[in-house]
C-alpha cells in the first residue's frame, strides 16, 4: 500500500475497475435515474436503471484513464454551465505557465461548482486540471467517493475526534499536497477555509496555511510556501442558487445557537448548486504570492486582500449593500448608476426583489448579508482600512 492510498485520487490503471463498480451500484444508478427522469423514477425506476447502466457502459467502454474520462464528461459540464449561467468569464489565466504546478487557494461558495469552474478554465486554456481537495463529510456513500476520486479529488479527513488523529491526518495531507506539486507536477485546488462562506465573508484560515508547512517543518515557512507556487483564486457568482438555504441556516444558528442538517441536505445542496441559476460567473486567477509574509497569519491576511480584490461585484451586490443595516459609514461606495448600464441594473432589481419576496422576513437580513459583505470587504481594502 502506498503512503497516500487512503486519500489520493484514483490512478489511470484503476479507472476501468472503478467505472465497472459504479455501473453495478444500484444506489448510484438510482440517483442517476432520479436526476435524469425525476417524474418517472418512482414508477419505472426498475426499468430505467438497467437502461441507463447499459447506455453508460457503451459511452464509457473505451475510457481507461482519468484524462479520457474528463474529456468524455466535458461536453456535459459545458451544457450544465450553459443552462445554469448567463456566461462564465475568466481573468489571469495568461500568467499560468505550461509545465508548472500550482497551489490554487480559492474562496468557497459552492461545494461542487467552485472547483468545477476552475477546472473548466484551466482545461479550456490547454492546461492540466488540478487535483481537488474534498472533505470526507461529503463522501458518506461509496459511490460518491468513487465519483470524486475518479475526477482527481483527494480526501481531507475532517470527522476526527482525537488530537493525535487530527495531527496525523494533517501531516499526511501536507505531505500529499507537497508531493503532488513538487514531485508529480500536479496542481492542487483547495478552499481557503473549511466549509462554504455562507455569509459571503471570504476569509483565509491560517491553519490551512500552516498545514502546507507541516510535512517540511525543518524548512522556513516562507520558502516552503514559495515552492508551492501559491495562486489566490476569486470565484464570483452573480446569484447563489443556495442563497435561501444558507440564509435559513444562518438565521436558525443565530436564534438557537446551533443547526442540525437534515438527512440528504448536503446532497440537495450539491444538486441545487450544480443545476440552479447563477447569473454570470467570473473566476480570477491572481498573481503568485511568494513574498510579503513571514508566517501563516501574515500570509492569511495577504491572501484575503488578493482574493477579495479579485472578486467581481455585480449590481445585486450593491443593491443588497444599500439595504444592509451594517453599512460602513467610512466607505465611499460608488453609485450604482455610475458602474453599470441602466438595463443591467433594472434586470438585477427584478431578480433581487424576487429573491427577497420568497425569503421569510426573519431570514431576510441573512440573505442581504450574503450579497452585501463582498462590497464592504472590497471597498475597505481599496480605502486601506482593516478588514
Amino acid at each position: 500500500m502506498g503512503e497516500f492510498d487512503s486519500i489520493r485520487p484514483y490512478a489511470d490503471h484503476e479507472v476501468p475497475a472503478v467505472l465497472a463498480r459504479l455501473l453495478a451500484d444500484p444506489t448510484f444508478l438510482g440517483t442517476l435515474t432520479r436526476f435524469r427522469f425525476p417524474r418517472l423514477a418512482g414508477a419505472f425506476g426498475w426499468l430505467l436503471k438497467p437502461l441507463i447502466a447499459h447506455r453508460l457502459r457503451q459511452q464509457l467502454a473505451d475510457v481507461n484513464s482519468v484524462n479520457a474520462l474528463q474529456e468524455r464528461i466535458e461536453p456535459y459540464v459545458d451544457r450544465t454551465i450553459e443552462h445554469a449561467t448567463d456566461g462564465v468569464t475568466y481573468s489571469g489565466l495568461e500568467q499560468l505557465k505550461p509545465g508548472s504546478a500550482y497551489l490554487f487557494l480559492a474562496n468557497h461558495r459552492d461545494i461542487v461548482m467552485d472547483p468545477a469552474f476552475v477546472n473548466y478554465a484551466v482545461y479550456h486554456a490547454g492546461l492540466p486540471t488540478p487535483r481537488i481537495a474534498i472533505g470526507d463529510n461529503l463522501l458518506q456513500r461509496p459511490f460518491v467517493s468513487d465519483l470524486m476520486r475518479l475526477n482527481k479529488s483527494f480526501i481531507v479527513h475532517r470527522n476526527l475526534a482525537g488530537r493525535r488523529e487530527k495531527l496525523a491526518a494533517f501531516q499526511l495531507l501536507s505531505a500529499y499536497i507537497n508531493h503532488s506539486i513538487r514531485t508529480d507536477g500536479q496542481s492542487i485546488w483547495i478552499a481557503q477555509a473549511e466549509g462554504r462562506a455562507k455569509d459571503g465573508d471570504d476569509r483565509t484560515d491560517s491553519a490551512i496555511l500552516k498545514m502546507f508547512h507541516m510535512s517540511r517543518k525543518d524548512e522556513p515557512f516562507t520558502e516552503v510556501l514559495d515552492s508551492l507556487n501559491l495562486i489566490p483564486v476569486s470565484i464570483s457568482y452573480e446569484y447563489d442558487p443556495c442563497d435561501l438555504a444558507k440564509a435559513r441556516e444562518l438565521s436558525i444558528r443565530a436564534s438557537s445557537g446551533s443547526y442540525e442538517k437534515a438527512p440528504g441536505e448536503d446532497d440537495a445542496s450539491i444538486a441545487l448548486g450544480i443545476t440552479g441559476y447563477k447569473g454570470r460567473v467570473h473566476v480570477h486567477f491572481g498573481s503568485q504570492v511568494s513574498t510579503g509574509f513571514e508566517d501563516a497569519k501574515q500570509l492569511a491576511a495577504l491572501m484575503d486582500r488578493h482574493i477579495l480584490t479579485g472578486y467581481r461585484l455585480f449590481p445585486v451586490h450593491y443593491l443588497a449593500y444599500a439595504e444592509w443595516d451594517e453599512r460602513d459609514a467610512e466607505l465611499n461606495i460608488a453609485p450604482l448608476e455610475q458602474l453599470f448600464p441602466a438595463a443591467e441594473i433594472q434586470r438585477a432589481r427584478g431578480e433581487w426583489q424576487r429573491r427577497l419576496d420568497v425569503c421569510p422576513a426573519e431570514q431576510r437580513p441573512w440573505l442581504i448579508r450574503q450579497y452585501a459583505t463582498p462590497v464592504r470587504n472590497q471597498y475597505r481594502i481599496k480605502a486601506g482600512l482593516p478588514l
Side-chain angles (χ1 to χ4, degrees), residues 106-184:
N107 64 326
H108 192 25
R109 299 299 184 83
D110 187 85
I111 295 169
V112 169
M113 294 310 296
D114 288 352
F117 282 123
V118 171
N119 269 358
Y120 183 82
V122 298
Y123 178 88
H124 285 283
L127 300 171
T129 55
R131 292 170 173 171
I132 300 164
I134 183 167
D136 62 354
N137 57 303
L138 301 173
L139 306 177
Q140 302 294 328
R141 290 177 286 185
F143 82 82
V144 178
S145 179
D146 277 346
L147 280 174
M148 299 307 291
R149 294 177 75 182
L150 276 175
N151 195 35
K152 300 178 75 169
S153 293
F154 60 96
I155 299 170
V156 178
H157 289 294
R158 290 177 176 164
N159 299 322
L160 300 173
R163 184 175 181 274
R164 186 173 296 178
E165 285 181 300
K166 289 180 179 178
L167 283 174
F170 279 135
Q171 183 78 21
L172 181 65
L173 183 62
S174 175
Y176 177 73
I177 290 171
N178 277 271
H179 179 87
S180 180
I181 293 171
R182 302 177 75 225
T183 304
D184 294 345

Side-chain angles (χ1 to χ4, degrees), residues 81-320:
I81 290 174
E82 183 180 334
H83 291 153
T85 76
D86 290 332
V88 184
T89 53
Y90 301 97
S91 55
L93 274 168
E94 66 282 350
Q95 67 186 311
L96 303 181
K97 300 173 184 176
S100 295
Y102 297 95
L103 175 55
F104 297 117
L105 189 80
N107 64 326
H108 192 25
R109 299 299 184 83
D110 187 85
I111 295 169
V112 169
M113 294 310 296
D114 288 352
F117 282 123
V118 171
N119 269 358
Y120 183 82
V122 298
Y123 178 88
H124 285 283
L127 300 171
T129 55
R131 292 170 173 171
I132 300 164
I134 183 167
D136 62 354
N137 57 303
L138 301 173
L139 306 177
Q140 302 294 328
R141 290 177 286 185
F143 82 82
V144 178
S145 179
D146 277 346
L147 280 174
M148 299 307 291
R149 294 177 75 182
L150 276 175
N151 195 35
K152 300 178 75 169
S153 293
F154 60 96
I155 299 170
V156 178
H157 289 294
R158 290 177 176 164
N159 299 322
L160 300 173
R163 184 175 181 274
R164 186 173 296 178
E165 285 181 300
K166 289 180 179 178
L167 283 174
F170 279 135
Q171 183 78 21
L172 181 65
L173 183 62
S174 175
Y176 177 73
I177 290 171
N178 277 271
H179 179 87
S180 180
I181 293 171
R182 302 177 75 225
T183 304
D184 294 345
Q186 293 287 321
S187 295
I188 294 287
W189 177 95
I190 192 168
Q192 67 182 151
E194 182 178 323
R196 293 169 290 167
K198 294 172 185 173
D199 60 357
D201 195 8
D202 300 308
R203 300 298 177 99
T204 304
D205 184 353
S206 61
I208 288 178
L209 304 177
K210 290 177 183 177
M211 178 271 292
F212 299 143
H213 182 232
M214 282 183 68
S215 61
R216 297 167 63 190
K217 280 284 192 179
D218 56 333
E219 301 174 56
F221 179 82
T222 51
E223 291 182 16
V224 170
L225 271 292
D226 182 31
S227 73
L228 296 178
N229 301 327
L230 185 59
I231 300 286
V233 180
S234 310
I235 306 170
S236 317
Y237 298 88
E238 186 172 15
Y239 301 104
D240 184 342
C242 298
D243 54 8
L244 295 175
K246 291 177 182 177
R248 177 178 175 273
E249 177 179 337
L250 292 170
S251 176
I252 292 172
R253 283 189 186 277
S255 60
S256 68
S258 63
Y259 178 80
E260 187 172 342
K261 290 182 180 180
E265 189 166 336
D266 278 335
D267 292 345
S269 291
I270 289 171
L272 184 58
I274 293 170
T275 61
Y277 176 65
K278 303 166 189 63
R280 291 167 291 179
V281 178
H282 184 75
V283 183
H284 175 69
F285 295 84
S287 300
Q288 184 175 328
V289 176
S290 57
T291 59
F293 62 91
E294 295 181 0
D295 55 31
K297 186 176 179 180
Q298 288 181 347
L299 180 55
L302 186 58
M303 295 302 292
D304 286 348
R305 290 198 293 274
H306 279 283
I307 290 172
L308 295 170
T309 301
Y311 192 93
R312 175 162 295 184
L313 299 172
F314 295 101
V316 65
H317 296 105
Y318 290 90
L319 293 172

